[in-house]
Every structure is written in structure tokens, then in C-alpha cells.
Coordinates of all heavy atoms in Angstrom, one line a residue:
D1223 N 31.6 -101.8 -87.2 CA 31.2 -101.3 -88.5 C 30.4 -102.4 -89.3 O 29.9 -102.1 -90.4 CB 32.4 -101.0 -89.3 CG 33.4 -102.1 -89.5 OD1 33.5 -102.9 -88.6 OD2 33.9 -102.2 -90.6
I1224 N 30.2 -103.6 -88.7 CA 29.5 -104.6 -89.5 C 28.0 -104.4 -89.4 O 27.5 -103.7 -88.5 CB 29.8 -106.0 -89.0 CG1 29.2 -106.3 -87.6 CG2 31.3 -106.3 -89.1 CD1 29.4 -107.7 -87.2
D1225 N 27.2 -104.9 -90.4 CA 25.8 -104.9 -90.4 C 25.3 -106.1 -89.6 O 25.4 -107.2 -90.1 CB 25.3 -104.9 -91.8 CG 23.8 -104.7 -91.9 OD1 23.0 -105.2 -91.1 OD2 23.3 -104.1 -92.9
E1226 N 24.7 -105.9 -88.4 CA 24.4 -107.0 -87.6 C 23.3 -107.9 -88.2 O 23.4 -109.2 -88.2 CB 23.9 -106.5 -86.2 CG 23.5 -107.6 -85.2 CD 23.1 -107.0 -83.9 OE1 23.4 -105.8 -83.6 OE2 22.4 -107.7 -83.1
A1227 N 22.3 -107.4 -88.8 CA 21.2 -108.2 -89.4 C 21.8 -109.0 -90.6 O 21.4 -110.1 -90.8 CB 20.1 -107.2 -89.9
R1228 N 22.6 -108.3 -91.4 CA 23.2 -109.0 -92.5 C 24.1 -110.1 -92.1 O 24.1 -111.2 -92.7 CB 24.0 -108.0 -93.4 CG 24.5 -108.6 -94.7 CD 25.2 -107.5 -95.5 NE 25.7 -108.1 -96.7 CZ 26.4 -107.3 -97.6 NH1 26.6 -106.1 -97.4 NH2 26.9 -107.9 -98.7
M1229 N 24.9 -109.9 -91.0 CA 25.7 -111.0 -90.5 C 24.9 -112.1 -89.9 O 25.3 -113.3 -90.1 CB 26.6 -110.4 -89.4 CG 27.6 -111.4 -88.7 SD 28.8 -112.1 -89.9 CE 29.9 -110.6 -90.1
A1230 N 23.8 -111.9 -89.3 CA 23.0 -112.9 -88.8 C 22.4 -113.8 -89.9 O 22.4 -115.0 -89.8 CB 21.8 -112.4 -87.9
R1231 N 22.0 -113.1 -91.0 CA 21.5 -113.9 -92.2 C 22.6 -114.7 -92.8 O 22.4 -115.8 -93.2 CB 21.0 -112.9 -93.2 CG 19.6 -112.2 -92.8 CD 19.0 -111.6 -93.9 NE 19.8 -110.5 -94.6 CZ 19.8 -109.3 -94.2 NH1 19.0 -108.9 -93.2 NH2 20.5 -108.4 -94.8
R1232 N 23.8 -114.2 -92.8 CA 25.0 -114.9 -93.4 C 25.3 -116.2 -92.6 O 25.5 -117.2 -93.1 CB 26.2 -114.0 -93.4 CG 27.5 -114.6 -93.9 CD 27.5 -115.0 -95.3 NE 28.7 -115.7 -95.7 CZ 29.8 -115.1 -96.0 NH1 30.0 -113.8 -95.9 NH2 30.9 -115.9 -96.4
L1233 N 25.3 -116.0 -91.3 CA 25.5 -117.2 -90.4 C 24.4 -118.2 -90.5 O 24.7 -119.4 -90.5 CB 25.7 -116.7 -89.0 CG 26.9 -115.8 -88.7 CD1 26.9 -115.3 -87.3 CD2 28.2 -116.5 -89.0
A1234 N 23.2 -117.7 -90.6 CA 22.0 -118.7 -90.7 C 22.0 -119.4 -92.0 O 21.4 -120.5 -92.1 CB 20.7 -117.9 -90.5
S1235 N 22.6 -118.8 -93.0 CA 22.6 -119.5 -94.4 C 23.4 -120.8 -94.4 O 23.2 -121.6 -95.3 CB 23.1 -118.5 -95.4 OG 24.5 -118.3 -95.3
G1236 N 24.3 -120.9 -93.5 CA 25.2 -122.0 -93.5 C 26.2 -122.1 -94.6 O 26.8 -123.1 -94.9
K1237 N 26.4 -120.9 -95.3 CA 27.4 -120.8 -96.4 C 28.7 -120.5 -95.9 O 28.9 -119.5 -95.2 CB 26.9 -119.8 -97.4 CG 27.7 -119.7 -98.6 CD 27.2 -118.6 -99.6 CE 28.0 -118.4 -100.8 NZ 27.5 -117.4 -101.7
A1238 N 29.7 -121.3 -96.2 CA 31.1 -121.1 -95.8 C 31.7 -119.9 -96.6 O 31.3 -119.6 -97.7 CB 31.9 -122.4 -96.1
G1239 N 32.6 -119.3 -95.9 CA 33.3 -118.2 -96.5 C 33.9 -117.2 -95.5 O 33.7 -117.3 -94.3
Y1240 N 34.6 -116.2 -96.1 CA 35.3 -115.2 -95.2 C 34.2 -114.2 -94.7 O 33.4 -113.7 -95.5 CB 36.4 -114.4 -95.9 CG 37.6 -115.3 -96.1 CD1 37.9 -116.0 -97.3 CD2 38.6 -115.3 -95.1 CE1 39.1 -116.7 -97.4 CE2 39.7 -116.0 -95.2 CZ 40.0 -116.7 -96.4 OH 41.1 -117.5 -96.5
L1241 N 34.3 -113.9 -93.4 CA 33.5 -112.8 -92.9 C 34.2 -111.5 -92.9 O 33.7 -110.4 -93.1 CB 33.0 -113.2 -91.5 CG 32.2 -114.5 -91.3 CD1 31.9 -114.7 -89.9 CD2 31.0 -114.5 -92.2
R1242 N 35.5 -111.5 -92.6 CA 36.4 -110.4 -92.7 C 37.8 -110.9 -93.1 O 38.3 -111.9 -92.6 CB 36.5 -109.6 -91.3 CG 35.3 -108.9 -90.9 CD 35.4 -108.2 -89.6 NE 36.1 -107.0 -89.7 CZ 35.5 -105.8 -89.8 NH1 34.2 -105.7 -89.9 NH2 36.2 -104.7 -89.9
R1243 N 38.5 -110.1 -94.0 CA 39.8 -110.5 -94.5 C 40.9 -110.0 -93.6 O 42.0 -110.5 -93.7 CB 40.0 -110.1 -95.9 CG 39.1 -110.8 -96.9 CD 39.3 -112.3 -96.8 NE 40.6 -112.8 -97.1 CZ 41.0 -113.3 -98.2 NH1 40.1 -113.5 -99.2 NH2 42.2 -113.8 -98.4
R1244 N 40.7 -109.0 -92.8 CA 41.8 -108.5 -92.0 C 41.3 -108.1 -90.6 O 40.4 -107.2 -90.5 CB 42.4 -107.2 -92.7 CG 43.6 -106.6 -91.9 CD 44.1 -105.4 -92.6 NE 44.7 -105.7 -93.9 CZ 44.9 -104.7 -94.8 NH1 44.6 -103.5 -94.5 NH2 45.5 -105.0 -95.9
I1245 N 41.8 -108.8 -89.6 CA 41.4 -108.4 -88.2 C 42.7 -108.3 -87.4 O 43.7 -109.0 -87.7 CB 40.4 -109.5 -87.6 CG1 41.1 -110.9 -87.5 CG2 39.2 -109.6 -88.4 CD1 40.2 -111.9 -86.8
L1246 N 42.6 -107.6 -86.4 CA 43.8 -107.3 -85.5 C 43.9 -108.5 -84.5 O 43.0 -109.3 -84.2 CB 43.6 -106.1 -84.7 CG 43.5 -104.8 -85.5 CD1 43.2 -103.6 -84.6 CD2 44.8 -104.5 -86.3
P1247 N 45.1 -108.7 -84.0 CA 45.3 -109.8 -83.0 C 44.4 -109.8 -81.8 O 43.9 -110.8 -81.4 CB 46.8 -109.6 -82.6 CG 47.4 -109.0 -83.7 CD 46.4 -108.1 -84.3
E1248 N 44.1 -108.6 -81.3 CA 43.2 -108.4 -80.1 C 41.8 -108.8 -80.5 O 41.0 -109.3 -79.7 CB 43.3 -107.0 -79.5 CG 43.0 -105.9 -80.5 CD 44.3 -105.3 -81.1 OE1 45.3 -106.1 -81.2 OE2 44.4 -104.1 -81.4
E1249 N 41.4 -108.5 -81.8 CA 40.1 -108.8 -82.3 C 40.0 -110.4 -82.4 O 38.9 -111.0 -82.1 CB 39.8 -108.1 -83.6 CG 39.7 -106.6 -83.5 CD 39.6 -105.9 -84.8 OE1 40.1 -106.5 -85.8 OE2 39.1 -104.8 -84.9
A1250 N 41.1 -111.0 -82.9 CA 41.1 -112.4 -83.1 C 40.9 -113.1 -81.7 O 40.2 -114.1 -81.6 CB 42.4 -112.8 -83.7
N1251 N 41.5 -112.6 -80.7 CA 41.4 -113.1 -79.3 C 40.0 -113.1 -78.8 O 39.5 -114.0 -78.2 CB 42.3 -112.4 -78.3 CG 43.8 -112.7 -78.6 OD1 44.1 -113.8 -79.1 ND2 44.7 -111.8 -78.2
K1252 N 39.3 -112.0 -79.1 CA 37.9 -111.8 -78.7 C 37.0 -112.8 -79.4 O 36.0 -113.3 -78.8 CB 37.4 -110.4 -78.9 CG 38.1 -109.3 -78.0 CD 37.7 -107.9 -78.3 CE 38.4 -106.9 -77.4 NZ 38.0 -105.5 -77.8
V1253 N 37.2 -113.0 -80.7 CA 36.4 -113.9 -81.5 C 36.7 -115.3 -80.9 O 35.8 -116.1 -80.8 CB 36.8 -113.9 -83.0 CG1 36.1 -115.0 -83.8 CG2 36.4 -112.5 -83.6
F1254 N 37.9 -115.7 -80.6 CA 38.2 -117.0 -80.1 C 37.5 -117.2 -78.8 O 37.1 -118.3 -78.4 CB 39.8 -117.1 -79.9 CG 40.2 -118.4 -79.4 CD1 40.3 -119.5 -80.3 CD2 40.6 -118.6 -78.1 CE1 40.7 -120.8 -79.8 CE2 41.0 -119.9 -77.6 CZ 41.1 -120.9 -78.5
A1255 N 37.4 -116.1 -78.0 CA 36.8 -116.3 -76.7 C 35.3 -116.5 -76.8 O 34.6 -117.0 -75.8 CB 37.0 -115.0 -75.9
L1256 N 34.7 -116.4 -78.0 CA 33.2 -116.7 -78.1 C 33.0 -118.2 -78.1 O 31.8 -118.6 -77.8 CB 32.7 -116.1 -79.5 CG 32.8 -114.6 -79.7 CD1 32.3 -114.2 -81.1 CD2 32.0 -113.9 -78.6
G1257 N 34.0 -119.0 -78.3 CA 33.9 -120.4 -78.2 C 33.1 -121.1 -79.3 O 32.6 -122.2 -79.1
E1258 N 33.0 -120.5 -80.4 CA 32.3 -121.0 -81.6 C 33.4 -121.6 -82.5 O 34.2 -120.9 -83.2 CB 31.5 -120.0 -82.3 CG 30.3 -119.5 -81.5 CD 29.2 -120.5 -81.4 OE1 29.3 -121.5 -82.1 OE2 28.3 -120.3 -80.6
I1259 N 33.4 -123.0 -82.6 CA 34.4 -123.6 -83.5 C 34.2 -123.3 -84.9 O 35.2 -123.2 -85.7 CB 34.3 -125.2 -83.3 CG1 34.6 -125.5 -81.8 CG2 35.2 -125.9 -84.2 CD1 34.4 -127.0 -81.5
A1260 N 33.0 -123.0 -85.4 CA 32.8 -122.6 -86.8 C 33.4 -121.3 -87.2 O 33.5 -121.0 -88.4 CB 31.3 -122.7 -87.1
L1261 N 33.7 -120.5 -86.2 CA 34.3 -119.2 -86.5 C 35.8 -119.4 -86.4 O 36.5 -119.3 -85.4 CB 33.9 -118.1 -85.5 CG 32.4 -117.7 -85.5 CD1 32.1 -116.7 -84.4 CD2 32.0 -117.3 -86.9
E1262 N 36.4 -119.6 -87.6 CA 37.8 -119.9 -87.7 C 38.6 -118.6 -87.9 O 38.1 -117.6 -88.5 CB 38.1 -120.9 -88.8 CG 37.5 -122.2 -88.6 CD 37.7 -123.2 -89.8 OE1 38.0 -122.7 -90.9 OE2 37.6 -124.4 -89.6
I1263 N 39.9 -118.6 -87.4 CA 40.7 -117.5 -87.5 C 42.0 -117.9 -88.2 O 43.1 -118.1 -87.5 CB 41.0 -116.9 -86.1 CG1 39.7 -116.6 -85.4 CG2 41.8 -115.6 -86.2 CD1 39.9 -116.2 -83.9

């Protein structure tokens, strides 16, 4: 459901903050598997 282009701009801006306030455990595992330290859970 996310806007891919908007998310890319958000990441490129270098501005810290929440991307999503509620994610499921299985979704958290998939984000962790991306290997990006800057994407905190």
C-alpha cells in the first residue's frame, strides 16, 4: 500500500523519522533481511 516514489524521495532526503508505526512480526523479519542498518525496527 505504500507509494514507492514517495518512499524513495523520503529515503533520499536523509530525514530521520518513522516510515510506518505498526508492522507485523513477519513484515519486520522481511525488513531485517534487507540488510540495511538505517532501517530500524
